[in-house]
Amino acid sequence: PLPVIADCALKDLVESPELCAGAAKLGASAIGIRYYEEEEWGDAGGLEEALKQAVAAAEASSLAAILLGEFGAAAGPEGVVGGSDLAARVGAGAALTRGGEEGGAPALGCWDGSEEGLQRLREAGIGGVVVKNACRGDLGRGAHLKSPSPAATLVTKLVKAALSKGSKKIWAGAGGTGLASDGGDPQLAADRYYNNRDTR
């Protein structure tokens, strides 16, 4: 089975650290600590102290912690410059950043699933990615309708793309199970499914 990372707001974790225990009981492997630089923490030291509290709460429930700075921000790039170093200081296992960083915790980049986005992250020196909206929030629904569902097929394609150094055509070929009517492309199969689902 795939490890599950529970996405939690830093403010909620500071106010209710028992959320970590609840996530662990539900089978989570890690806590993704989401925070935004514009939030009021007093100063940089206040933010760091809050992150240390959240990481400690995660560790108390035997969960890893990943910093998700600016994840889901309404505007601007996601990830935080220097996030890798901050993660190392507060004891987190990895962090969402805007570019590859020397030293510190492993740096992750936020990927929208596009070939162009993946190339940009590679050029920035990012070694790992957080795929955003890969299944458009409906993996469970799709899994009950088809096997494999278009959503699950698309996620598989994205994972293989991230791990491959080949071209988009090679990734699609390796990904495997698109519908014949869509030329075997999982992306087109997923688009057809999501665009038509409300009319079924």
Side-chain angles (χ1 to χ4, degrees):
L2 292 173
V4 173
I5 301 173
D7 173 6
C8 296
L10 175 57
K11 285 187 174 182
D12 291 339
L13 289 172
V14 169
E15 294 173 359
S16 305
E18 66 274 10
L19 289 171
C20 292
K25 288 179 181 177
L26 291 173
S29 299
I31 291 289
I33 305 173
R34 181 171 25 88
Y35 66 96
Y36 303 95
E37 292 188 312
E38 70 268 15
E39 287 179 342
E40 293 296 328
W41 296 104
D43 53 26
L47 172 61
E48 195 164 321
E49 183 57 36
L51 287 170
K52 286 180 179 178
Q53 290 179 37
V55 170
E59 291 177 344
S61 295
S62 300
L63 298 174
I66 299 174
L67 303 190
L68 299 176
E70 300 295 318
F71 185 63
E78 293 171 270
V80 175
V81 174
S84 182
D85 184 55
L86 177 60
R89 291 199 308 272
V90 301
L96 197 64
T97 70
R98 296 182 190 174
E101 301 179 23
E102 296 295 329
L108 307 175
C110 188
W111 181 35
D112 61 5
S114 70
E115 185 177 12
E116 296 77 14
L118 182 59
Q119 184 61 33
R120 177 182 57 79
L121 292 172
R122 284 178 173 163
E123 290 174 352
I126 293 292
V129 298
V130 174
V131 181
K132 184 177 181 185
N133 294 333
C135 63
R136 304 175 196 175
D138 202 10
L139 186 58
R141 172 184 164 85
H144 290 295
L145 295 179
K146 294 186 179 182
S147 181
S149 72
T153 302
L154 180 55
V155 171
T156 300
K157 177 192 172 193
L158 292 175
V159 170
K160 290 186 176 183
L163 296 176
S164 170
K165 294 292 185 181
S167 68
K168 185 174 181 181
K169 290 183 179 178
I170 292 174
W171 296 338
T177 56
L179 301 177
S181 60
D182 295 310
D185 189 331
Q187 177 71 56
L188 292 177
D191 287 344
R192 183 185 298 275
Y193 168 72
Y194 284 104
N195 290 340
N196 295 334
R197 64 179 176 169
D198 291 333
T199 62
R200 295 179 181 181

